[in-house]
C-alpha cells in the first residue's frame, strides 16, 4: 500500500532499516547504527535538545545544515501541514536543501522530546566532495525526485481537501 510516508525526503534511511528488519538482519543494522553514533560522539558535534512540538526548521528557511536524530523522533511536514513521515534515532534530514541548493521545502517538528545533531554545510559538502561522482549524481537525482514527489503529494492533498469540503 502506498502512503504519504513513502514520499518522505529522508526515505532511504527508513527503507534501509525496514529492509534489514525484513531480512532478519536487525543485529547488523543495530551494530551499524551504534557504529555511526559512536563516530558522531567522537567528533563532538553539537547536540541540541528540542521539546515535543518544537520546530527544528521551517519551510522556506535557508538550507545551511543537515541534521541527525540522536534520540527521540521528528516529524516531516509540508508547507501546509501534510505529514510526510517520521524519523527516529540515527536518521538524517535536511540534506535535500543542501544538495539542491534551495531553501527548505518542508518543516521539521519534534514529534517527541529529542536531541538532534547539526552537521554544518562545510562538513556535509566536504563529505559529498569525497563521494564518487557517479554516487553524487545519483544522490542529487534522488533528491530532486523526492522534492518533486513531495510537491505533487501536497498538490493532491490540497485538491482532496477541497473536494472533502464540498461534501460538507
Amino acid at each position: 500500500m502506498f502512503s504519504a510516508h513513502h514520499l518522505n525526503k529522508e526515505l532511504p534511511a527508513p527503507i534501509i532499516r525496514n529492509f534489514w528488519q525484513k531480512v532478519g538482519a536487525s543485529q547488523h543494522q543495530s551494530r551499524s547504527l551504534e557504529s555511526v553514533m559512536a563516530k558522531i560522539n567522537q567528533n563532538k558535534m553539537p547536540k541540541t535538545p528540542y521539546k515535543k512540538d518544537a520546530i527544528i526548521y521551517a519551510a522556506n528557511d535557508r538550507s545551511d545544515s543537515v541534521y541527525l536524530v540522536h534520540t527521540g523522533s521528528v516529524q516531516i511536514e509540508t508547507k501546509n501541514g501534510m505529514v510526510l513521515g517520521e524519523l527516529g534515532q540515527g536518521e538524517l534530514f535536511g540534506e535535500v536543501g543542501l544538495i539542491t541548493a534551495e531553501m527548505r521545502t518542508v518543516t521539521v517538528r519534534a514529534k517527541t522530546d529529542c536531541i538532534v545533531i547539526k552537521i554544518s554545510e562545510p562538513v556535509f559538502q566536504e563529505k559529498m566532495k569525497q563521494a564518487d561522482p557517479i554516487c553524487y549524481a545519483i544522490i542529487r537525482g534522488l533528491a530532486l525526485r523526492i522534492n518533486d514527489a513531495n510537491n505533487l503529494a501536497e498538490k493532491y492533498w490540497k485538491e482532496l481537501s477541497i473536494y472533502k469540503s464540498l461534501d460538507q
Side-chain angles (χ1 to χ4, degrees), residues 69-99:
V69 180
H70 184 65
T71 63
S73 62
V74 300
Q75 182 170 289
I76 313 298
E77 304 170 0
T78 65
K79 294 174 187 172
N80 292 306
M82 178 183 160
V83 175
L84 295 171
E86 180 182 329
L87 303 173
Q89 182 182 15
E91 295 183 284
L92 289 168
F93 61 94
E95 75 284 0
V96 172
L98 289 181
I99 292 168

Side-chain angles (χ1 to χ4, degrees), residues 107-135:
T107 294
V108 179
R109 179 184 314 273
K111 183 166 175 91
T112 64
D113 288 353
C114 63
I115 297 174
V116 299
I117 298 169
K118 187 175 184 177
I119 302 167
S120 69
E121 183 175 9
V123 169
F124 179 77
Q125 295 300 347
E126 182 58 35
K127 295 292 182 190
M128 292 304 290
K129 285 179 188 172
Q130 294 171 10
D132 182 289
I134 292 172
C135 291

Side-chain angles (χ1 to χ4, degrees), residues 42-79:
Q42 289 172 354
N43 289 335
K44 307 282 188 230
M45 293 184 173
K47 296 176 186 146
T48 306
Y50 290 92
K51 292 288 186 192
K52 180 181 178 180
D53 294 323
I55 293 178
I56 298 166
Y57 65 73
N60 298 318
D61 283 356
R62 184 176 166 272
S63 297
D64 63 355
S65 51
V66 174
Y67 298 84
L68 176 79
V69 180
H70 184 65
T71 63
S73 62
V74 300
Q75 182 170 289
I76 313 298
E77 304 170 0
T78 65
K79 294 174 187 172

Side-chain angles (χ1 to χ4, degrees), residues 29 41 168:
Q29 192 272 340
N41 287 331
Q168 296 173 357

